[in-house]
Amino acid sequence: MNRNQVRPQRRHATPSRIERVRRQAVPKPRVIIALLLLLGLVSVMLLDGYLRAEVGNDQRVRSDASASKVPDSVLDGGPFLSFQGGTARTRSVPDKTIVLTFDDGPDPEWTQKVLDILDDNDVPGTFFLVGSMISRYPDVVRRMVDDGNEVGVHTFTHVDLSYQSAARVTREIAQTQLALAGAAGITTTLFRAPYSSTNDAIDNYSWPVYKKLGAMGYTSVFIDTDSEDWQQPGVSKIIKWATPKSGKGASVLFHDAGGNRAQTLEALPQYIKKMKSKGYTFTTVSGAQQQAQGQQAQGQQAQGQQAQGQQTQAPQDTPGTAGDTRQSNPEQAAHRTADTATLWEGRALLGAVAVAEWTVPGLAAVLAVVGVAVLGRFAMMLVLARRHYRQRNRRRFSWGPSVTEPVSVIVPAYNEKECIANTLNSLAASTHPIEIVVVDDGSTDGTAEIAESLGLPNVRVIRQPNAGKPAALNNGVRHARYDIVVMMDGDTVFEPDTVQRLVQPFGDPEVGAVAGNAKVGNRTTIIGAWQHIEYVMGFNLDRRMYDLLRCMPTIPGAIGAFRRDAVLGVGGMSEDTLAEDTDITIALHRAGWRVVYAEHARAWTEAPASLGQLWRQRYRWSYGTMQALWKHRKSVTDRGPSGRFGRVGMPLVVLFQIVTPVFAPLIDVFTVYAMIFVDFKASLLAWLAVLLVQLVCAGYAFRLDRERYRYLLMLPLQQIAYRQLMYLVLIHSCVTAATGGRLRWQKLKRTGEVGTPAPGTGVR
């Protein structure tokens, strides 16, 4: 399907070189739109992946690390660690006091139920929140704060900070604070490290992190008692393990997210009632710190009074941690009202997360549909291609009476000096009687003279002003002497028996056109090998399927045969689209003619040799196909045999050649996404499984076409590189169509390296 004509431009309208350079330097709007869409998609997926995964060197706390650099007063101190003037200081929970702490939330199911339990029992909790979860469920956080509970930072991605760089530590905290500001309009001075436990678990690796956070004004919160509810040991054990000994106070750890928390929900109300019956009170981290400060101040005052023998008034409550905008509730003293900049940055973060939360699942649903469509297409191609092969190779199969009368071969040519001699010499060796009509479309390189100088019999050269390929073909049809016309490109060569095999289906009077088997002749390069695989698998295997379904969408421009009357009956080759081959094929369907595939009629064409030429060719093909489908959109309402293409072919072409390829990149995008954020091994295996399915299809296509299997070694690289290029071409074409852009014919550079095929050897 070589479309190589170029429309002439009027001399006075030709832009200067400087103007052309300026135009090329300015990106076209559709290119900008495509790039913005791509950037937006990548950004959304990266954000979603970051929200849902622990990214980058996530490990667990060491159990055998040294704590030689950690002060003994910290290792043996209370669960609340802060720094004043660079000096570490710890506080304990007062006796008969419980601080309920919950890690890993918020969760839309479990956290809400935990909050219900706390409300029912009139006790507060302190929740250490994961920033990514805050971003996804801000309403839960808002309720949490409004109910009088306290919140703290539990990093953004639940990563062990003792393994991270200082920049990563700062980023994890800052992002969580932004999410908290966007959700509830506050920030917090409380922090709990993922995988932390009691103070004596601090080691030389984690100690610098706590010092850094202390210098930033954070209070690091540890535990005295661990319910170990994450192990789901049973309700009774959760209650037992969460109960402090000998009436001591405790910072108790529960979880409100990160797994099934049904046992936690069952144990929590029983635990609260049990501790209340023992005379315990419940408070938050800030509340416990204030009580501890008050007791310490009273103790110091009592000692002073005893020493001085004086009585003084009871001291006022001492503030907990530094800050100038404390909440009115003393048990939320760690909360700070977010400043305006932080508030709006947080809201912007939540907005972006909301977009990702809607977009990625939507894309995943589309991916599922695309995946089913792709696998369905492979299955359909294999089954129908096998059936087509068996049907056409039956001993009794016949199109009808053998076609022996001469045919006209039309060769449109525009500046084909490199190729025209090989093309005409291959036709001269034809075993079927033919006349050769070369239509020179205003060539300026001597193409017509070369054709005439060959002195080949039955060759006529018709000259016309440059008018484009459709006009050249129509001119050739008008000058054809015979009822069957074969159309080919000026850079294509036929095997000696190609014409004979191509015209035999016309023994059936219902057949109006025949598609031949186009093959890549210059397949020695990587780009050529990629196109060779595509031609054999993507084009010819497809044609077997469409042939059996009687809805062939395209007769390739490189090799096709037509009844002359059928072509003239539909108005000839149309100039309405850039895909005149697809246009005429659909028009013939709608006129009631049958279009079939002759797989043994082979033509060897010169495929684009560079990525730039390949892009321009496929861009034109894709856009032209869309034009043709739109032009014949009313075929879906055609009735009778002429409406078969509209009922069957049109939906299949739209699904398999436009919709599925446009969204097919999602398969690769989500594969990369899953490798980074989900499970690398499983994702890689899934991708390899899809590749295996494609390899099986390609192998079967090569078997049917009797091609050498060694080219299939290029298939994995083709899937990684070449296929992505074809996707981008199609997406670019869709954007062009959507924005009303127009394309022009462009002449592709030819080398003439596809030589005349020798009998029985294909191409040399």
Side-chain angles (χ1 to χ4, degrees), residues 36 164 207 213-214 279 327 346 371 466 476 594 691:
L36 289 177
Q164 309 306 319
W207 177 240
L213 292 173
Q327 300 289 327
N466 181 257
R594 185 179 173 192
L691 178 63

Side-chain angles (χ1 to χ4, degrees), residues 496-545:
D497 62 351
T498 294
V499 174
Q500 180 183 4
R501 291 177 178 275
L502 184 64
V503 300
Q504 293 311 307
F506 290 111
D508 184 345
E510 295 182 356
V511 174
V514 181
N517 188 341
K519 291 187 170 295
V520 175
N522 53 331
R523 59 180 71 171
T524 56
T525 64
I526 292 179
I527 296 177
W530 286 344
Q531 293 176 82
H532 171 49
I533 296 173
E534 181 185 29
Y535 270 62
V536 175
M537 178 184 174
F539 296 160
N540 295 335
L541 200 62
D542 263 356
R543 289 193 180 99
R544 293 176 186 272
M545 175 182 72

Side-chain angles (χ1 to χ4, degrees), residues 30 114 142 150 172-173 204 339 355 437 444 494 549 563 566 738 761:
R30 59 179 177 269
V114 168
R142 199 170 297 116
E150 197 165 53
E172 288 280 335
I173 302 301
N204 291 344
D339 59 57
V355 172
V437 182
T444 59
F494 280 6
L549 296 175
R563 292 190 189 274
T761 62

